[in-house]
Amino acid sequence: MGNKLKNLITLYDLGVRVPKFTYNHPLKEKWENINMVMDFFANFDGITHISVRSSGTHSMPGILKTVLNVPLHYLSIEKAYDEVLASYNSPLAKLYRSRFNLPEEENPVVIFQQMISGDVGVGVFHTYEVKTGDNKSEYSFTAKANSNDVVVNGTSKLHDTLPTSEYLTLQTLGDKLTKYFKYPQEIEFVIEWGKGFGFNKVWILQTRNMVFQHDLLPKVAYNLWEGNIITN
């Protein structure tokens, strides 16, 4: 299933606002999966574009393909689906698996997810400080952007100030997810403008365990213990 899909399902089960998503069934024919995707998104009004993402059994940062802003047309979905599946067996993926002694993906998983307009902004929220391992949240944020900026560009251009109410929402969610996963989290998010007199909507694209330098791991573990996240 892959960690990305597992975490998406967990977020959904926890009641977190995530964009609508479905995924392929590796043992079905390609045309069956594409028709399934078309039928799934036809149940929701207003969804015109989706992202097509990998969900590998083992994390391979920057190796597997993500295709964004895919129109909900059969041929467009097929092209993106093929690109993501092909990335599992690209020369770079094979080299990465060989370098880190990872097994081949027997049944590659592909996620199909609703695209959200980040008309307020997009960003990445870390529940602990990346460079110190301290139990202090930090974030990177770009106003008036979309999920492309998170997925493609990382955090290099995410430098704006997050609105207070959305910061508090993410802080509360970050605490909840850190306790659930028992490890600091890196949370990708999109903020959609609240139409009319509605509140802005914070959408969570994905969450994953943070990555720290090796020498920070004892400090991170101590801070998790001190915060009653872990017991030993």
Side-chain angles (χ1 to χ4, degrees):
M1 180 179 288
N3 288 330
K4 190 180 297 182
L5 179 56
K6 286 179 182 178
N7 287 351
L8 267 178
I9 293 172
T10 297
L11 290 171
Y12 177 82
D13 289 343
L14 290 173
V16 176
R17 182 185 285 118
V18 295
K20 301 290 189 298
F21 68 93
T22 187
Y23 55 95
N24 69 322
H25 297 272
L27 300 182
K28 289 188 176 182
E29 297 291 336
K30 179 172 69 173
W31 66 268
E32 292 180 290
N33 278 307
I34 296 173
N35 284 338
M36 177 271 296
V37 171
M38 299 282 289
D39 290 343
F40 174 81
F41 286 105
N43 293 317
F44 308 103
D45 294 333
I47 299 179
T48 60
H49 289 73
I50 61 173
S51 62
V52 183
R53 305 165 183 265
S54 61
S55 181
T57 305
H58 300 277
S59 178
M60 296 196 293
I63 304 296
L64 301 180
K65 183 80 172 180
T66 292
V67 184
L68 302 170
N69 289 316
V70 178
L72 279 173
H73 303 136
Y74 188 97
L75 292 179
S76 298
I77 296 172
E78 181 181 28
K79 181 176 183 295
Y81 188 25
D82 286 344
E83 288 181 20
V84 173
L85 283 177
S87 73
Y88 278 99
N89 289 305
S90 69
L92 193 58
K94 291 179 179 179
L95 180 63
Y96 189 94
R97 284 195 291 265
S98 175
R99 170 67 178 81
F100 293 98
N101 197 28
L102 299 176
E104 296 287 326
E105 290 280 348
E106 294 184 2
N107 296 303
V109 173
V110 177
I111 301 170
F112 305 86
Q113 190 171 30
Q114 171 190 9
M115 289 291 298
I116 300 293
S117 171
D119 39 17
V120 175
V122 303
V124 179
F125 190 91
H126 295 101
T127 60
Y128 277 35
E129 286 188 348
V130 177
K131 294 182 178 180
T132 67
D134 288 338
N135 183 8
K136 297 178 182 178
S137 64
E138 60 183 1
Y139 67 84
S140 301
F141 176 70
T142 291
K144 298 180 180 179
N146 57 47
S147 55
N148 297 35
D149 293 282
V150 174
V151 176
V152 177
N153 297 327
T155 62
S156 60
K157 295 183 179 179
L158 305 177
H159 52 69
D160 294 327
T161 301
L162 188 63
T164 301
S165 60
E166 283 71 35
Y167 170 78
L168 293 174
T169 296
L170 287 163
Q171 180 67 62
T172 300
L173 176 63
D175 290 343
K176 178 179 180 179
L177 294 179
T178 297
K179 289 177 181 177
Y180 181 86
F181 289 104
K182 300 187 183 301
Y183 203 78
Q185 294 296 293
E186 177 181 305
I187 305 167
E188 292 183 6
F189 65 90
V190 177
I191 304 176
E192 184 181 28
W193 177 64
K195 300 175 179 60
F197 293 99
F199 294 102
N200 293 338
K201 294 181 179 179
V202 178
W203 296 85
I204 304 304
L205 299 179
Q206 62 175 306
T207 189
R208 54 181 166 254
N209 287 352
M210 289 180 61
V211 177
F212 297 95
Q213 291 185 2
H214 186 75
D215 60 348
L216 290 177
L217 295 180
K219 182 179 182 181
V220 171
Y222 176 80
N223 286 334
L224 288 167
W225 173 80
E226 190 177 46
N228 295 316
I229 307 288
I230 60 176
T231 56
N232 52 45

